[in-house]
């Protein structure tokens, strides 16, 4: 389970990083339409990974 959670966290961080990079381009007015779609996709991707992490942690709490 630990490996799965670590993978999901890496993917969440990757999604957030791409989202932030796209956000900077949009703020500067340098993003094209395709990049704006990518921005929305990676925002949702990161949110989805966070939800998956939370659900797994609720379903399979870490052993004490």
């Amino acid at each position: 389970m630990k490996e799965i959670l670590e993978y999901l966290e890496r993917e969440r961080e990757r999604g957030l990083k791409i989202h932030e990079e796209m956000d900077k381009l949009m703020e500067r007015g340098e993003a094209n339409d395709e990049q704006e779609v990518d921005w929305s996709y990676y925002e949702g991707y990161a949110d989805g990974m966070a939800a998956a992490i939370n659900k797994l942690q609720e379903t399979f709490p870490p052993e004490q």
Side-chain angles (χ1 to χ4, degrees), residues 1 9 11 21 23 25-27 50 56 61-62 64:
M1 180 60 63
E9 181 60 29
E11 286 298 298
E21 290 170 4
D23 196 34
L25 287 174
M26 289 173 58
E27 286 176 3
L56 284 172
Q64 302 296 327

Side-chain angles (χ1 to χ4, degrees), residues 6-59:
E6 288 172 353
Y7 168 77
L8 292 173
E9 181 60 29
R10 283 192 308 272
E11 286 298 298
R12 184 188 74 80
E13 289 174 8
R14 181 175 152 261
L16 285 174
K17 181 178 178 183
I18 294 168
H19 178 264
E20 289 170 1
E21 290 170 4
M22 293 294 161
D23 196 34
K24 290 175 188 174
L25 287 174
M26 289 173 58
E27 286 176 3
R28 294 190 307 252
E30 297 173 0
N32 61 35
D33 290 343
E34 186 176 322
Q35 289 169 318
E36 290 189 25
V37 170
D38 287 348
W39 178 84
S40 297
Y41 173 81
Y42 283 106
E43 178 181 37
Y45 185 81
D47 289 347
M49 291 297 108
I53 290 167
N54 290 337
K55 184 65 176 174
L56 284 172
Q57 288 175 334
E58 289 172 3
T59 305

